[in-house]
Amino acid sequence: METKKAVVLSGVRPTGDLHLGNYFGAILNYVKMQNDYDCYFMVADLHSLTTHPDTSGLKNHIQRVIATFLAAGIDPEKATLYCQSHLRTTGELYLYLNMLAYKGELEKTATFKEKARQQPDNVNAGLLTYPVLMAADILIHKAHFVPVGKDQEQHIEMARNFAKRFNHRYGEVFPEPEAFNYSHDLLKIPSLDGSGKMSKSVNENATIYLSDNDDTIRKKIMKAKTDAGPQQPNSPMPDYVENIFHLMELVSENSTVSQFRQSYNDCSIRYGDMKKQLAEDMIRFISPIRKKMEDILADEVLLKKVMEHGAAKANEHADQTLAEVRKAMRLNYFI
Ligand code: AMP
């Protein structure tokens, strides 16, 4: 008898082209997980409305995210790949979970405080209840694991709390979801200017996108923040230099990284050479993904087929959960 695989859910917002942070924090895990788990990967278009209310470019952005997923190696026959708004049941579960989420805890969420600071004229209720919608995305599939970057850790903890509260009040329906990364630690890919993480729409020049062409990658990396270099052997490393090493560890050979570490420690390092090497290794890594993505984007029929197929599979699965939820809540009056 076939044992049931654990369920995985994760999503990426279509707020811009995907970058190295999305790749190493999320997508690389998706590609590995699709072989061992029952995976649901979504393009989180509803979440993007909390910060990007203009929907004129949304379809194009959604297609670009799906094309990136496919180019990175997600197989729509193994994993269910769908668009968040195609699952109406998530909206209903979100409503029920909202009754179990408290204003105080939502206001304390780090991402809410950060977004409220970034867009003081649009502190909408969707922004406040973002973690509740995210919990609904996860729980509608009864997911056990959520591959995400470090920035999402608090949201997963909240999803776990909402699941526990639901189970406690209405009966055991949901597993308690956990954040997941194959590297054991959740990752945070730093931006090139040494200030925070790479992100889709905050600092484009300090973020490397999977759609960047070779020249753009070179230019961005050559501009990464450095200084005059260490003056004493074995000096502590400033954050922005550590960040460059961190990026190098992701795309370069181990021997290349150790050679530059060695030259940092004996003060012979030339940051210009290091950045040139990193740029070439980065291009070797990114350009095949970009080329595949461009081919897929030109195939509208394929993109539509993938979305329709994913929506049907995701809906079938979510409908089962919602039926259980309504039963547990005694909302099934016709029976
Ligand atoms: P977002 O781009 O905010 O929709 O995030 C999509 C996924 O990428 C989430 O799992 C994030 O945790 C992950 N992610 C985004 N930026 C980074 C980053 N700089 N480092 C690591 N993971 C990230």
Side-chain angles (χ1 to χ4, degrees), residues 13 19 21-22 25 148-149 151-152 187-189 197-198 200:
R13 289 172 308 143
H19 51 76
N22 297 131
V148 283
D151 55 335
Q152 295 290 328
L187 292 184
K188 176 177 152 186
I189 306 302
K197 59 169 186 164
M198 282 195 187
K200 284 203 216 88

Side-chain angles (χ1 to χ4, degrees), residues 14-196:
T15 49
D17 278 353
L18 306 195
H19 51 76
L20 281 188
N22 297 131
Y23 185 84
F24 288 103
I27 299 172
L28 183 60
N29 289 289
Y30 299 180
V31 175
K32 290 190 191 167
M33 292 181 102
Q34 67 183 346
N35 295 314
D36 302 324
Y37 298 91
D38 183 12
C39 291
Y40 295 84
F41 300 131
M42 62 170 196
V43 187
D45 56 338
L46 299 178
H47 282 298
S48 74
L49 298 178
T50 59
T51 50
H52 293 64
D54 178 1
T55 52
S56 53
L58 194 53
K59 183 176 173 195
N60 177 254
H61 282 310
I62 290 170
Q63 289 181 330
R64 291 184 74 83
V65 174
I66 292 188
T68 314
F69 278 178
L70 297 176
I74 294 172
D75 176 349
E77 291 305 321
K78 287 185 186 161
T80 303
L81 186 54
Y82 67 100
C83 191
Q84 187 185 24
S85 62
H86 288 155
L87 221 61
R88 304 266 164 87
T89 37
T90 311
E92 187 174 332
L93 182 58
Y94 169 57
L95 179 84
Y96 302 145
L97 295 178
N98 265 317
M99 319 302 179
L100 300 169
Y102 300 106
K103 180 170 162 274
E105 65 184 335
L106 296 172
E107 279 170 345
K108 271 193 273 174
T109 314
T111 44
F112 172 70
K113 289 199 276 193
E114 189 191 327
K115 295 270 159 64
R117 242 193 333 267
Q118 282 167 1
Q119 52 181 65
D121 297 331
N122 184 18
V123 185
N124 58 76
L127 207 55
L128 183 70
T129 55
Y130 191 111
V132 188
L133 181 56
M134 184 163 159
D137 295 324
I138 297 167
L139 299 179
I140 198 73
H141 291 300
K142 301 215 264 181
H144 302 90
F145 299 113
V146 190
V148 283
K150 180 115 189 108
D151 55 335
Q152 295 290 328
E153 201 172 20
Q154 191 181 23
H155 289 167
I156 309 298
E157 216 174 286
M158 295 174 83
R160 225 176 8 251
N161 285 336
F162 301 148
K164 274 193 245 178
R165 281 178 212 162
F166 184 98
N167 290 346
H168 182 69
R169 187 163 298 171
Y170 299 113
E172 201 67 25
V173 171
F174 299 118
E176 290 174 25
E178 282 170 44
F180 184 95
N181 192 299
Y182 277 105
S183 76
H184 298 295
D185 294 324
L186 297 187
L187 292 184
K188 176 177 152 186
I189 306 302
S191 67
L192 291 168
D193 59 4
S195 72

